[in-house]
Amino acid sequence: MEGFDLAGAGFDTAFIHAGQRRDSDWGALATPIYQTSTFCYDTVEEGQKKIMREIPGCYYSRSGNPTNFVLEEKIAAVEGAEAAVSTASGLGAIGCVMVAFLRTGDHVVCGRCVYGGTNHIMGTNLAQFGIDVTFVDTTKPEEVEAAVRPNTRMLYFETVANPLMTVTDVAAMSKIARAHGLKMVVDSTFTPPPILFALELGADIVVHSLTKYYNGHGDVIGGVAAGSKADMDKVRNGAMTRFCGTPLAPFNAYLVIRSMKTMGMRVRRHCANAMETARYLESSPYIARVYYAGLPSHPQHELAKRQMREELYTGMIAFELKEGIHGRSAYDAGAALLNSLRLAQIAVSLGDPDTLVEHPASMTHARVSREDKEKAGISDGLIRLSVGLEDVKDIIQDFEQAFAAL
Ligand SMILES: Cc1ncc(COP(=O)(O)O)c(C=O)c1O
């Protein structure tokens, strides 16, 4: 993009143009896929300088690839970061950040309600390396503050938490992190741009599962961490390249670049469909409770309104059915409901064009201990819904026919 200054451009323009480079060989508009594992040098001296990062360039695709660089620049631009590192999965990004910044003897304060895989890293994997984790309710700053110890190095939470949709005040958490010198890492997978900008609200590092809204087509597994150049150098060189070995495949980087061009439109439509579906679910006589940050009944609705842009509140909803519908437990009624849906697919993951529905207690959070599930409020009757891009009347009609079949 020569001659156009992206600095003052809107998000939709940035989603399309940021990071884009004119292909010097053929002028291709779409970013070429550099499907190569290695790169050639004219001389030994050039090779050595590239490997030692004394001159720019690529030497091996585990540590960097031109297609990935375009994606990373695009994401850094829309997140307001100095740099970004793309990884093979969202969990890969989280793992690389842990490896980059934590050492034996450190302590982490982590949100109690987080994705099941993250809960596993925090509760099991970090312990293997002698790193302690305290899980707290990050909607209560006093609980976070009280959990900080002299050896605490990191504060970690999700903006809108998986699966209960609790909203954490990012700016309030940032004050605590600054006061105690903690690295604040925020998983904003449920609230991608243009909904929420975690770095602007005070996070040091934002992570996303690119698998979800960033790619948005259900055909890629990927992740990203974004933040300062110094922090991202540690994530790329110290963790991803030399320890975890988890780069994003260039073909997947290409797919996410392509998908980001429609990200603004897609995310807004997911949110609009979710808002209407949440209102419908809340009015249903079968439903005990709907968890959606856009509803005035959500306990952190006012915070969500302040912290999220354009009245966009994510495309994710959770709900619980009433106990005793036709003599069924909430769990049995939930299973019957899911089995009766025809448009919505029973599947984990989220942010796809297709509406997806799942049962956290037996799927995404199956490996979280019963005790931790209870503490986090994840009941056996909880259902999680990723509202897709279909006509919203069809999504609602699907639920109506499934409720009627209960
Ligand atoms: C909030 C959140 N963070 C991270 C992940 C992990 O991402 P991935 O599946 O791409 O490894 C998930 C996956 O569902 C998630 O929901």
Side-chain angles (χ1 to χ4, degrees):
M1 281 280 293
E2 265 147 52
F4 183 80
D5 182 10
L6 269 171
F11 292 119
D12 288 304
T13 308
F15 280 133
I16 295 167
H17 293 287
Q20 205 86 337
R21 290 171 204 189
R22 175 67 61 84
D23 162 36
S24 55
D25 284 343
W26 302 99
L29 175 66
T31 302
I33 304 167
Y34 287 86
Q35 191 67 27
T36 183
S37 40
T38 197
F39 298 82
C40 305
Y41 324 115
D42 286 334
T43 62
V44 169
E45 291 76 15
E46 184 201 346
Q48 189 190 17
K49 283 187 177 145
K50 281 192 175 158
I51 287 174
M52 297 312 289
R53 298 183 190 283
E54 286 164 17
I55 56 172
C58 295
Y59 61 93
Y60 192 56
S61 282
R62 172 154 37 83
S63 56
N65 173 287
T67 310
N68 296 38
F69 288 160
V70 170
L71 174 66
E72 288 161 357
E73 237 180 81
K74 208 182 227 350
I75 294 176
V78 299
E79 293 282 348
E82 282 175 13
V85 179
S86 57
T87 54
S89 70
L91 213 56
I94 296 165
C96 287
V97 169
M98 301 296 141
V99 168
F101 295 102
L102 297 175
R103 299 291 175 266
T104 302
D106 286 350
H107 172 248
V108 178
V109 176
C110 178
R112 182 167 287 134
C113 185
V114 286
Y115 167 59
T118 306
N119 178 284
H120 191 267
I121 290 188
M122 296 286 176
T124 305
N125 301 126
L126 291 187
Q128 293 170 336
F129 297 100
I131 297 161
D132 265 359
V133 179
T134 305
F135 292 98
V136 296
D137 180 350
T138 50
T139 66
K140 296 186 179 134
E142 65 286 0
E143 222 179 275
V144 176
E145 186 88 52
V148 176
R149 302 178 192 163
N151 61 336
T152 308
R153 297 282 170 267
M154 184 181 285
L155 172 59
Y156 184 100
F157 62 91
E158 295 175 1
T159 49
V160 168
N162 186 355
L164 273 170
M165 314 301 156
T166 38
V167 181
T168 291
D169 187 335
V170 183
M173 289 300 109
S174 164
K175 276 195 193 138
I176 297 174
R178 296 274 165 274
H180 297 279
L182 314 180
K183 185 74 64 192
M184 187 165 110
V185 182
V186 177
D187 182 336
S188 196
T189 297
F190 278 27
T191 54
I195 305 178
L196 187 144
F197 297 84
L199 297 174
E200 190 185 280
L201 292 168
D204 294 304
I205 296 175
V206 63
V207 292
H208 287 271
S209 167
L210 295 179
T211 315
K212 313 301 188 318
Y213 292 101
Y214 259 100
N215 181 60
H217 289 73
D219 51 9
V220 161
I221 297 283
V224 74
S228 71
K229 187 170 176 325
D231 281 354
M232 290 308 107
D233 280 349
K234 286 186 184 152
V235 172
R236 183 189 299 282
N237 304 328
M240 192 186 74
T241 305
R242 301 209 186 96
F243 187 112
C244 306
T246 49
L248 183 69
F251 180 59
N252 285 348
Y254 160 79
L255 286 173
V256 184
I257 291 166
R258 176 221 48 179
S259 297
M260 280 183 68
K261 297 199 178 204
T262 57
M263 188 161 157
M265 288 157 60
R266 284 189 291 102
V267 169
R268 290 184 186 100
R269 167 82 172 218
H270 278 292
C271 293
N273 279 1
M275 191 74 226
E276 216 168 317
T277 306
R279 283 196 190 113
Y280 160 75
L281 291 171
E282 197 168 49
S283 71
S284 164
Y286 295 100
I287 293 213
R289 189 155 175 205
V290 178
Y291 303 86
Y292 185 65
L295 291 175
S297 59
H298 188 285
Q300 293 103 32
H301 176 61
E302 287 309 316
L303 163 65
K305 229 170 154 174
R306 254 196 345 266
Q307 171 164 281
M308 301 184 194
R309 301 242 185 129
E310 302 179 29
E311 300 208 40
L312 301 171
Y313 298 99
T314 180
M316 298 299 295
I317 302 173
F319 60 91
E320 273 159 355
L321 291 181
K322 284 185 178 156
E323 285 287 340
I325 301 170
H326 306 309
R328 286 187 168 118
S329 67
Y331 174 82
D332 287 345
L337 179 80
L338 262 60
N339 291 337
S340 302
L341 288 166
R342 293 177 189 153
L343 179 69
Q345 301 296 310
I346 304 174
V348 298
S349 203
L350 56 113
D352 289 7
D354 315 54
T355 293
L356 304 178
V357 66
E358 68 113 4
H359 176 237
S362 62
M363 297 180 185
T364 45
H365 293 67
R367 287 190 186 82
V368 178
S369 69
R370 178 153 285 280
E371 192 196 339
D372 281 354
K373 275 200 276 258
E374 270 167 21
K375 273 195 201 149
I378 303 166
S379 73
D380 278 350
L382 188 75
I383 293 169
R384 194 189 78 180
L385 177 64
S386 167
V387 181
L389 299 175
E390 300 96 339
D391 292 279
V392 70
K393 74 172 176 51
D394 295 324
I395 299 170
I396 290 173
Q397 216 167 46
D398 194 28
F399 275 94
E400 286 208 316
Q401 67 77 26
F403 284 135
L406 279 180

